[in-house]
Amino acid sequence: MLPPRTRAVCAAAAATAALLVAGLSGSASAGTAAAPAGATGATDAAGPATAPTGTASATAAATLRTDAAPPALLRAMERDLGLDRRQAQRRLANEAEAGATAGRLRAALGGDFAGAWVRGAESGTLTVATTDASDVPAIEAQGARAAVVRHSLADLDAARARLDRAAAEHGGTDAPVRFVDVRTNTVTVQAVRPSAARALLDAAGVDRSLVRVETTAERPRPLYDLRGGEAYYINNSGRCSIGFPVTKGTQQGFATAGHCGRAGSSTSGHNRVAQGTFQGSVFPGRDMAWVATNSQWTATPYVKGAGGQNVQVTGSTQAPVGASVCRSGSTTGWHCGTIQQHDTSVTYPEGTITGVTRTTVCAEPGDSGGSYISGSQAQGVTSGGSGNCSSGGTTFYQPINPLLQNYGLTLKTDGGGGEEPPPGGGTWAAGTVYQPGDTVTYGGSTYRCLQGHQAQPGWEPPNVPALWQRV
């Protein structure tokens, strides 16, 4: 009898036909791919020339409502990512499918898994990294390229955690950004001075073969603004941007950044009408908060898009590295870019925050707290960054799912209509935030979560193979 992990890899290979959407393939053309730039001991195996297709591929795109992307979002992607309309639409569909495929392979590969990312104008190439060359056939069988690397994602995450602890103990403002870069199979430390990075590595006791140091002039900072303006105001003074409308039972409100206000701080809307009160706030450490609004304000499943148009929010499935993401903020409006790294650590002058996502989207003061969305899926709220929207920059967002989980909030979407899910029995529950690897029971069967998301009516495990795998 095969050991459990071997059975899982074989099962992943057997499930090929049910995974990939037309246009998402493991290789742009036949042949051997180049190793990721900067990777140590990485070998990128050639993927198949064409990707298989199947019924579940449509389910992945349909689950995440990629066909519901509004014109405002598509126009912003065209402008900021250099795409035409059809490329933008295909990119969203491919990214939805890539997340489902990567989730299945992560579950199958176990401790060998070393990350996944998409690339190409249409995100048409998915690469999955592993530390075991024997995993390559299973990865390629699902239409992805396989990169054989030295370090597992778990090992890199552990090294970054040690660096974070050292930064907290010894100060890290001269080496302010630390993240796992799955494309180079390293922990990247961005430092103003190389000596600051060396001092941090020595203090953390991290093997230097795991780390790549980048010299940067950037010093990220929170993006709040004390000049006044629109969106919402804190204590009739500072200005930030609403993230995502939420509910907590019958109470309505919105998610935003923790550095925008403390628990008890009052807020007023863009029209200066009394709005609500901060119920909880964490900063530094994380950068999350939520505001409970009064009866004059109603939560809607929308983000303000270009030209004031509504952009629908239908869920909170986490997008993969390399995916497109767009931001809405009260200072600079609607801008798009790509996800560079998840689970990044940043040291601001006020302290270190962990677990944020690094992007190429620009932002400026006053955009803090605002929405990041990929397709119709909520991603997070603006934390901070460097640069601006004239010359470009780097930004970080607090992921929405940990924020929802921390405060027991439910994202306002247009998907569930407030209806209760059909009776199925088991441990799955609408409103719960699930992470990859979590297991639930439903309808007498057990399911493993493939992609981080908040459950909602209509997303019961048997209905959404993009999010759940029966085990």
Side-chain angles (χ1 to χ4, degrees):
M1 184 174 181
L2 291 172
R5 187 186 165 280
T6 304
R7 292 201 307 273
V9 172
C10 292
T16 301
L19 294 179
L20 295 182
V21 69
L24 175 68
S25 70
S27 64
S29 60
T32 302
T40 304
T43 301
D44 193 6
T50 59
T53 60
T55 57
S57 61
T59 302
T63 296
L64 305 186
R65 299 287 302 277
T66 62
D67 60 343
L73 183 145
L74 295 172
R75 283 196 296 271
M77 291 178 66
E78 293 166 30
R79 179 195 66 202
D80 295 339
L81 299 178
L83 308 175
D84 61 32
R85 180 60 54 92
R86 293 190 64 186
Q87 285 178 312
Q89 292 170 329
R90 285 195 294 265
R91 180 168 183 142
L92 292 175
N94 284 343
E95 288 168 356
E97 194 54 45
T101 304
R104 286 182 171 86
L105 284 168
R106 180 173 188 161
L109 302 183
D112 292 344
F113 181 74
W117 60 96
V118 294
R119 62 184 175 86
E122 298 177 9
S123 294
T125 301
L126 169 66
T127 301
V128 175
T130 177
T131 58
D132 188 343
S134 67
D135 294 331
V136 169
I139 295 170
E140 291 182 344
Q142 296 198 31
R145 283 191 172 186
V148 181
V149 298
R150 181 179 300 176
H151 310 296
S152 71
L153 183 61
D155 288 342
L156 294 173
D157 281 340
R160 183 196 48 76
R162 291 197 296 273
L163 290 166
D164 290 347
R165 289 192 292 270
E169 293 173 5
H170 302 284
T173 56
D174 285 340
V177 180
R178 302 164 296 281
F179 54 82
V180 172
D181 187 349
V182 294
R183 286 168 287 200
T184 62
N185 195 231
T186 62
V187 178
T188 298
V189 176
Q190 293 185 333
V192 176
R193 295 178 292 104
S195 60
R198 291 193 295 270
L200 183 62
L201 293 177
D202 290 341
V206 170
D207 183 349
R208 297 200 177 196
S209 69
L210 294 167
V211 178
R212 182 168 60 96
V213 176
E214 292 181 353
T215 302
T216 179
E218 297 179 352
R219 292 183 181 270
R221 80 270 186 211
L223 296 177
Y224 48 68
D225 188 3
L226 298 178
R227 297 174 299 168
E230 56 183 12
Y232 79 92
Y233 299 86
I234 307 94
N235 294 329
N236 293 313
S237 177
R239 173 172 60 90
C240 276
S241 302
I242 292 174
F244 293 94
V246 298
T247 59
K248 187 169 186 176
T250 59
Q251 176 64 59
Q252 302 188 70
F254 60 86
T256 190
H259 72 263
C260 288
R262 297 302 183 193
S265 297
S266 64
T267 69
S268 55
H270 61 89
N271 51 6
R272 291 291 193 173
V273 172
Q275 182 186 66
T277 306
F278 276 81
Q279 301 298 298
S281 177
V282 178
F283 180 80
R286 304 301 289 268
D287 197 359
M288 58 175 67
W290 84 283
V291 172
T293 55
N294 61 41
S295 59
Q296 291 181 279
W297 298 83
T298 301
T300 68
Y302 301 117
V303 167
K304 182 179 179 181
Q309 297 184 14
N310 287 334
V311 175
Q312 292 182 341
V313 177
T314 65
S316 62
T317 302
Q318 185 184 69
V321 169
S324 54
V325 67
C326 297
R327 178 194 57 72
S328 180
S330 60
T331 298
T332 59
W334 194 249
H335 289 272
C336 299
T338 58
I339 292 172
Q340 296 298 290
Q341 288 87 23
H342 292 301
D343 204 19
T344 298
S345 301
V346 184
T347 299
Y348 296 139
E350 297 86 346
T352 294
I353 61 170
T354 60
V356 294
T357 295
R358 180 173 175 261
T359 82
T360 63
V361 186
C362 69
E364 295 181 10
D367 287 327
S368 274
S371 323
Y372 277 80
I373 188 168
S374 183
S376 66
Q377 300 299 301
Q379 297 299 309
V381 298
T382 305
S383 173
S386 56
N388 55 54
C389 287
S390 297
S391 60
T394 298
T395 52
F396 306 92
Y397 65 77
Q398 163 66 55
I400 189 66
N401 285 325
L403 189 158
L404 298 173
Q405 184 175 37
N406 188 59
Y407 295 118
L409 305 174
T410 298
L411 182 69
K412 185 70 174 177
T413 70
D414 67 352
E419 300 176 1
E420 289 297 319
T427 60
W428 179 90
T432 301
V433 173
Y434 293 108
Q435 301 298 332
D438 289 349
T439 58
V440 299
T441 56
Y442 185 88
S445 298
T446 300
Y447 295 85
R448 179 185 293 111
C449 178
L450 300 177
Q451 301 186 77
H453 67 283
Q454 183 174 56
Q456 58 179 285
W459 283 14
E460 294 78 24
N463 298 336
V464 283
L467 302 180
W468 293 99
Q469 179 182 53
R470 188 173 177 175
V471 295

